[in-house]
Amino acid sequence: IIPQQYATRTVLETSDLAKAVKLASFFANASQNVVKLTMEPGGELGPGKLVISANAAEVGDNTGELDGMVVGERGQIALNVKYVAELLGSVESRQIAL
């Protein structure tokens, strides 16, 4: 079930990601609970970043950025914010890899 290879991998602080997802959930709840995670690799001089975005026509939009280790190519994935928040609430490790 868990792939042995990946095109993009990012390692972040679990608590920072949980806070950013919680903030994005207020916007995502108004529009089908969708949150987009965009992983952007860093250059030689700096870390990569994860951009978390959610928008709702009635409420507005939210974009947050987290610095972290990003290996591989740029990628984007859309997930249900409720499932992401539930996952982050059950992870006990200090860091999480996506």
Side-chain angles (χ1 to χ4, degrees):
I1 295 174
I2 299 174
Q4 298 299 314
Q5 300 176 358
Y6 53 84
T8 307
R9 181 175 191 254
T10 182
V11 178
L12 304 161
E13 294 292 323
T14 305
S15 61
D16 293 344
L17 181 58
K19 290 175 190 175
V21 167
K22 183 176 181 178
L23 181 60
S25 72
F26 295 117
F27 294 86
N29 285 336
S31 66
Q32 301 178 0
N33 293 320
V34 175
V35 65
K36 292 182 184 176
L37 305 177
T38 305
M39 291 158 272
E40 299 177 1
E44 294 178 11
L45 301 176
K49 66 180 175 179
L50 177 75
V51 179
I52 302 165
S53 60
N55 61 19
E58 303 85 28
V59 181
D61 61 350
N62 173 263
T63 302
E65 292 184 6
L66 297 174
D67 289 337
M69 183 186 77
V70 179
V71 177
E73 54 195 57
R74 185 179 191 277
Q76 184 178 57
I77 186 168
L79 300 169
N80 185 312
V81 73
K82 289 182 180 181
Y83 296 145
V84 176
E86 187 176 321
L87 167 77
L88 293 172
S90 65
V91 171
E92 295 179 3
S93 66
R94 202 181 63 133
Q95 294 183 327
I96 188 165
L98 303 172

